[in-house]
């Protein structure tokens, strides 16, 4: 829901969130990157800010090694 978007984005600086992609259709989908050690706290903050109305999926970034 669009009405929660500003609330969500206000949380980002506290957790060093970098927005990777935003999709706006009938819902808002935001792909972000943040430090792994902040992920759980960030998730809790999002749930609290949206009163549980947010769906969160996490994916670890693969680190590539250079030879």
């Amino acid at each position: 829901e669009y009405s929660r978007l500003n609330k969500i984005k206000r949380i980002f600086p506290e957790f060093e969130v970098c927005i990777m992609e935003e999709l706006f259709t009938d819902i808002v989908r935001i792909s972000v990157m943040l430090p792994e050690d902040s992920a759980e706290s960030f998730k809790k903050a999002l749930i609290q800010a949206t009163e549980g109305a947010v769906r969160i999926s996490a994916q670890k970034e693969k680190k590539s090694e250079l030879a």
Side-chain angles (χ1 to χ4, degrees):
E1 188 176 315
Y2 287 91
S3 64
R4 293 185 176 96
L5 185 58
N6 286 333
K7 242 184 194 182
I8 290 169
K9 285 188 171 183
R10 278 189 234 128
I11 296 169
F12 289 5
E14 180 182 345
F15 296 97
E16 301 176 38
V17 171
C18 177
I19 297 172
M20 305 304 291
E21 182 178 26
E22 293 179 290
L23 298 172
F24 299 92
T25 59
D26 56 327
I27 61 168
V28 177
R29 182 179 302 236
I30 305 172
S31 298
V32 300
M33 278 185 36
L34 66 151
E36 189 174 341
D37 61 344
S38 298
E40 199 57 39
S41 299
F42 178 64
K43 181 179 175 180
K44 288 177 184 175
L46 282 177
I47 291 168
Q48 183 177 17
T50 63
E51 299 171 352
V54 65
R55 283 193 278 162
I56 302 167
S57 62
Q59 181 178 354
K60 282 191 173 186
E61 180 185 50
K62 293 180 181 177
K63 295 181 181 179
S64 58
E65 294 181 20
L66 300 176

